[in-house]
Amino acid sequence: TPPAVGRPILFVHGFCDDARSWGTLQSNVIADVRAAQPALYPLSTHYDVYYDGQSVKTWPDGQDFLSTVPSTARFFSIDFFDELSFGGSGNFSSINTFQVAQVSILNKAAELAHVVGAITALTHVKDIVVVAHSMGGLVARAYIQNFAIPYQGAACTDQDAYGCIQEEITSNLPPILYAGDLAKLITLDTPHSGSN
């Protein structure tokens, strides 16, 4: 039988960027998807969201995602979080993309896992489509490959040869394992073989 509702689509931004960087591409994808499947995607509204280490919230107002976004929403963009510049001040009106870029892809994968989990809980759809640009594709792959490590458990850096992986194994925090909740992963300009 055909699906009754459309799969949610999450846009994941690249290095030193934020959710607003999708601009025209995101608008065009939303318009095209709605034109092709209007019954599955009745709303064009998209929501920028982030995970602050406690819960998923909407940006820039910092409202609780699950209690403020309608379950019929299908279009989302993630903003990655930085404890020092973004969350500590309580100022959700601007994001220091340079500070956010300093957070490891493995820690960002944990944020992505929480956002994807919140989207599936809200929409009652078991899996979503992720459209990721550049670093965002690596973040999604880290989640799929079970390398998602909560920032609160162990901040990951290349200076300690990613000792965070061992710290995560020995910490009291439960591991974040891939939940099979990505139906499709579409990557744009992701350096899957690495980049200088």
Side-chain angles (χ1 to χ4, degrees), residues 116-136:
V116 170
I119 291 171
T120 60
L122 174 78
T123 62
H124 305 290
V125 177
K126 68 178 181 145
D127 50 17
I128 73 170
V129 174
V130 169
V131 179
H133 175 247
S134 190
M135 176 208 69

Side-chain angles (χ1 to χ4, degrees), residues 18-20 47-50 57-63 77 79 86 91-95:
D18 62 36
R20 268 88 28 231
Y47 296 87
D48 293 343
V49 299
Y50 66 96
K57 295 185 166 81
T58 56
W59 188 92
D61 57 15
Q63 298 295 310
S77 299
D79 270 312
F86 189 44
N91 178 3
F92 303 104
S93 63
S94 65
I95 298 170

Side-chain angles (χ1 to χ4, degrees), residues 11-154:
F11 294 86
V12 182
H13 67 79
F15 186 72
C16 284
D17 231 332
D18 62 36
R20 268 88 28 231
S21 67
W22 287 100
T24 304
L25 176 63
Q26 182 181 47
S27 299
N28 289 342
V29 168
I30 291 171
D32 289 349
V33 167
R34 291 192 66 235
Q37 296 290 336
L40 299 181
Y41 294 93
L43 302 177
S44 63
T45 307
H46 82 276
Y47 296 87
D48 293 343
V49 299
Y50 66 96
Y51 177 72
D52 70 355
Q54 303 298 318
S55 65
V56 176
K57 295 185 166 81
T58 56
W59 188 92
D61 57 15
Q63 298 295 310
D64 179 67
F65 174 75
L66 292 174
S67 62
T68 59
V69 175
S71 62
T72 54
R74 291 296 179 268
F75 302 106
F76 308 91
S77 299
I78 188 172
D79 270 312
F80 288 113
F81 185 78
D82 167 49
E83 187 78 29
L84 299 175
S85 66
F86 189 44
S89 67
N91 178 3
F92 303 104
S93 63
S94 65
I95 298 170
N96 184 330
T97 58
F98 177 77
Q99 284 297 118
V100 171
Q102 306 313 303
V103 176
S104 168
I105 287 172
L106 304 182
N107 295 138
K108 286 179 174 80
E111 295 176 50
L112 179 68
H114 286 285
V115 166
V116 170
I119 291 171
T120 60
L122 174 78
T123 62
H124 305 290
V125 177
K126 68 178 181 145
D127 50 17
I128 73 170
V129 174
V130 169
V131 179
H133 175 247
S134 190
M135 176 208 69
L138 298 178
V139 171
R141 279 190 51 195
Y143 169 49
I144 291 168
Q145 293 174 298
N146 290 318
F147 288 124
I149 297 176
Y151 188 80
Q152 299 83 353

